[in-house]
Amino acid sequence: MTMVQDMSNTPIPTPEENSPRPSIGELFRRRPELVSLTILIVLCITVAAINPAFLQASSLIDMGRASVVTGLFALGVFAILAAGGIDVSFPAIAALTMYSATLFVINVWPTAPMALIVASTVIGGAGLGALNGWMVHTLKVPSLIVTVGTQYLFRGILLAFIGTVWLMELPPQMIAFGKASLLEFESANGAIVTLPMYFLIFPAAAIVTWYMFNKTLMGRAIFATGGNADVAERLGYDQRIVHVFVFAFTGALAGLAGIIHVCANRMANPFDLVGTEIEVIAAVVLGGARITGGTGTVFGTITGVLLITVVNNSLVLVGIPSTWQRVVVGGFILLAAAFFVKRQQK
């Protein structure tokens, strides 16, 4: 007599149930942004233990303000790195758009609405970025070469044809935009500490960027292009559209960051933002994005921005001269690079 066992009510184990939980090392290899997050947490704990003033609201708000412009730049750079390119012209785009818009408002239209001023810099930045993308696709040369050239081109146009004079007296609507308060209180020493309203632009841009990469076809096309452009083209992704869009997106964020920089500092300096490209690219790389493209997350980018911001604002609190900032950031980049290479080998 043959015995048949009824298996209808027996649960079938899933692959997740059969596979063991990943180790910490394996988790870090899968999610490289956790490396930067761990470094950030350890750094904050160390600085707070040495100098508790690091945890004061005034210090945290100062770092929040400092992260806005760098964060907007970094979100754009992340998009280009994900597509397998690199851009070093975004500070020049920001400088050209913010100074041109400010000069136009002062001399031509002093009562221009603030929303229109912001929109003009975003649209202008997107146009200059789209020019970068069009040249990268048309000339078929590495984006680094193109953006090094346009960096000098945009900055040369600014200095030669638009102006080199610092604009110290901004229109009242731009000053009001920079001073608008989201959170304000009095510190222990009687100083007024303010978290500006424009701080909300950074998380809003991060949400938009996250949605683009995770919920839209364009996001998948960018990652596919960064992973393997030839395969992406065979899959039907138009490389011209991808290149123009991703550089226009970066240019738009650069224009937005530029006008925020002007309003926050209440002056327009055509020489501002020079040299910030290395720091921004470092933040994105520390967040887990690879220069070769096809990888990265918005969360990792934000983590990298916060890490750079904390380093730039906390070394003085623990007695380290500010001249060592680049040394510390460079050390973090080398550590992250060594980890990512090891991860890729495994």
Side-chain angles (χ1 to χ4, degrees), residues 97-340:
T97 54
M98 64 87 167
Y99 191 87
S100 301
T102 305
L103 192 64
F104 178 83
V105 172
I106 291 175
N107 294 329
V108 180
W109 193 5
T111 60
M114 191 62 215
L116 188 59
I117 298 173
V118 173
S120 66
T121 59
V122 171
I123 294 172
L128 296 176
L131 177 63
N132 277 338
W134 177 80
M135 287 193 291
V136 167
H137 179 77
T138 303
L139 300 178
K140 305 297 183 184
V141 296
S143 57
L144 177 61
I145 296 176
V146 171
T147 57
V148 165
T150 56
Q151 177 190 43
Y152 281 93
L153 174 65
F154 298 153
R155 191 164 293 281
I157 291 173
L158 171 62
L159 300 180
F161 299 104
I162 299 178
T164 59
V165 179
W166 291 21
L167 305 177
M168 306 294 292
E169 296 183 4
L170 299 184
Q173 67 272 35
M174 296 180 68
I175 295 176
F177 177 77
K179 293 174 63 176
S181 174
L182 177 65
L183 178 65
E184 185 175 299
F185 62 93
E186 186 175 346
S187 63
N189 59 3
I192 301 299
V193 180
T194 302
L195 180 65
M197 190 73 70
Y198 64 75
F199 172 78
L200 295 177
I201 295 177
F202 177 30
I207 292 172
V208 171
T209 307
W210 177 89
Y211 184 87
M212 179 184 73
F213 275 101
N214 292 275
K215 301 295 182 180
T216 68
L217 182 62
M218 179 56 72
R220 292 192 290 272
I222 292 172
F223 275 131
T225 299
N228 191 313
D230 293 333
V231 172
E233 191 168 12
R234 287 197 293 269
L235 290 174
Y237 295 122
D238 190 324
Q239 297 299 285
R240 179 177 59 85
I241 293 177
V242 172
H243 285 136
V244 171
F245 174 84
V246 76
F247 279 93
F249 179 76
T250 302
L253 289 177
L256 179 59
I259 198 64
I260 290 175
H261 176 80
V262 169
C263 295
N265 290 279
R266 300 172 197 173
M267 58 173 287
N269 178 4
F271 301 98
D272 270 355
L273 305 174
V274 176
T276 57
E277 58 272 12
I278 301 301
E279 184 175 273
V280 172
I281 294 173
V284 180
V285 172
L286 285 172
R290 289 191 309 201
I291 296 293
T292 53
T295 62
T297 63
V298 172
F299 173 75
T301 300
I302 295 174
T303 302
V305 169
L306 294 178
L307 179 57
I308 295 293
T309 303
V310 169
V311 169
N312 289 341
N313 289 269
S314 65
L315 293 185
V316 176
L317 294 176
V318 296
I320 300 176
S322 59
T323 52
W324 282 80
Q325 289 177 359
R326 294 187 180 274
V327 176
V328 175
V329 172
F332 284 155
I333 294 174
L334 291 176
L335 288 174
F339 170 81
F340 296 149

